[in-house]
Amino acid sequence: MSTSSGKQSASGGGADPAPKPSRRVFSPEYKLAMVAEYENAPNGEKGAILRREGLYSSHIIEWTRARDGGLLGNPGGRKEDAATIPVGQRVKKSAEQLELEKLRRQNEKLQADLKKTRMALDIMGKAHALLEELSESADNDSPPKKS
């Protein structure tokens, strides 16, 4: 029978055949391991790691930022002040590590720019050769004679 409002109650109508999907939760150890594996993989293998684990690149980006900001490994994901963290547990990157990371990012950017430049030069060389060939064929053809 129907209720006074004309609707069935949510609990009495039967179970939903498709339960609501639950969010995946990753432990800090897993996140750190995935970031390390992703960073150490050659460029052609990074996508394979993401596919194997069912992750997106945005996961790695977010986890890398959290790691660099000191948020990974803290309970609750809260960033703590340096004064509240015991001296033995502080993770601080040395100036050399920071410079190394900066130089690696700069190196990757420069390599990508070099690749683009080489491709552009290759295209320009092919275009130049084509124009040369067209110019030579135009010089060899005699103009049509008027009768």
Side-chain angles (χ1 to χ4, degrees), residues 6-106:
K7 296 180 183 178
Q8 291 182 343
S9 66
S11 62
D16 186 11
K20 183 179 178 184
S22 61
R23 278 194 118 149
R24 296 185 294 172
V25 178
F26 303 104
S27 69
E29 294 81 18
Y30 176 81
K31 292 177 183 181
L32 289 171
M34 285 298 102
V35 168
E37 183 178 356
Y38 185 83
E39 287 178 342
N40 292 327
N43 282 338
E45 301 295 322
K46 292 183 178 189
I49 293 170
L50 295 176
R51 285 189 297 276
R52 181 189 75 214
E53 297 294 327
L55 300 173
Y56 296 98
S57 60
S58 60
H59 285 121
I60 300 296
I61 292 168
E62 181 180 330
W63 297 345
T64 302
R65 288 180 182 156
R67 180 202 61 196
D68 294 345
L71 298 175
L72 274 184
N74 293 340
R78 293 182 305 273
K79 188 171 183 178
E80 299 176 356
D81 294 333
T84 62
I85 301 174
V87 176
Q89 293 181 355
R90 291 185 191 170
V91 178
K92 189 173 183 182
K93 294 185 179 183
S94 68
E96 290 177 352
Q97 289 174 325
L98 294 173
E99 184 179 5
L100 181 63
E101 288 177 3
K102 178 183 172 187
L103 290 174
R104 284 185 177 156
R105 286 191 303 269
Q106 184 180 17

